[in-house]
Amino acid sequence: MTDLVKALADASQALYREAYYLDAQRWDEWLAMFTEDCEYWMPAWKGEHELTENPKREISLIYYGTRAGLEDRVWRIRSGQSIASTPVPRTTHAVNNILVEDVTADSMTVLSTWTAHCFFHKTNKSEVFYGDYRHTLRRIDAGWKIARKYVVLKNDYVPTMLDIYNA
């Protein structure tokens, strides 16, 4: 198997696994996929075709600078202290068009597109969110972990709340 084919297979498995854990609400396994120093960023749109460029100076739809932020978010979801996330909506993620952009022995950048179908119990309504992902994966021991997840939400008119499980 060539290096690129192996990298694509590894990347695809990582992205599919992440989507599966989100949909199954397997929060511990989902969190374990991220490095301690990971960054999770969903920038906001500044205009029709321009995204914010700095999460520390400009608005973001979602931003966590480390895994500790994701862990806190999961704690709030589980504890019921996030009123907007109680009950947690049912989701189904589809990850497509996976491309390995750059690969070395210990890291790779992976581009893909995604769709998240979400059913919200409170309103008895479904919403569809979609966009692009850019994952930076880092080899840790025998596997790959997410060092950075950059999410571009293409339909950014959000009729309800937005959270980690919607992207």
Side-chain angles (χ1 to χ4, degrees):
M1 188 179 301
T2 68
D3 290 342
L4 188 55
V5 172
K6 173 79 168 110
L8 180 59
D10 290 346
S12 297
Q13 282 301 300
L15 272 57
Y16 296 151
R17 187 174 310 279
E18 182 195 12
Y20 176 79
Y21 289 158
L22 282 171
D23 293 337
Q25 299 177 15
R26 290 169 60 172
W27 304 117
D28 292 331
E29 290 150 302
W30 180 74
L31 287 168
M33 294 189 68
F34 290 84
T35 63
E36 293 291 330
D37 65 341
C38 72
E39 179 184 62
Y40 186 110
W41 184 25
M42 183 188 292
W45 288 92
K46 283 200 255 191
E48 290 296 315
H49 301 287
E50 186 180 8
L51 294 163
T52 56
E53 297 174 1
N54 187 325
K56 295 182 176 152
R57 290 192 321 233
E58 297 175 285
I59 195 164
S60 297
L61 298 174
I62 299 174
Y63 180 75
Y64 295 106
T66 65
R67 190 170 83 186
L70 293 174
E71 291 168 351
D72 180 66
R73 188 71 204 129
V74 167
W75 180 85
R76 290 178 185 283
I77 291 167
R78 281 181 165 156
S79 71
Q81 291 193 17
S82 171
I83 302 265
S85 299
T86 305
V88 178
R90 292 184 210 132
T91 62
T92 297
H93 288 74
V95 182
N96 302 290
N97 304 329
I98 299 171
L99 298 171
V100 175
E101 184 179 61
D102 183 37
V103 63
T104 66
D106 61 352
S107 71
M108 71 172 103
T109 302
V110 183
L111 308 176
S112 60
T113 58
W114 61 274
T115 304
H117 297 263
C118 306
F119 175 73
F120 296 92
H121 307 275
K122 285 182 183 177
T123 60
N124 198 29
K125 290 185 180 179
S126 295
E127 300 291 343
V128 178
F129 300 98
Y130 57 90
D132 299 323
Y133 286 145
R134 176 183 293 265
H135 283 82
T136 301
L137 303 180
R138 187 182 307 151
R139 186 182 300 278
I140 306 289
D141 299 321
W144 293 93
K145 290 202 174 208
I146 301 167
R148 184 171 195 255
K149 182 174 180 180
Y150 180 79
V151 182
V152 175
L153 178 64
K154 296 276 182 97
N155 59 327
D156 63 321
Y157 170 75
V158 182
T160 184
M161 55 61 183
L162 186 66
D163 213 322
I164 56 175
Y165 42 75
N166 299 118

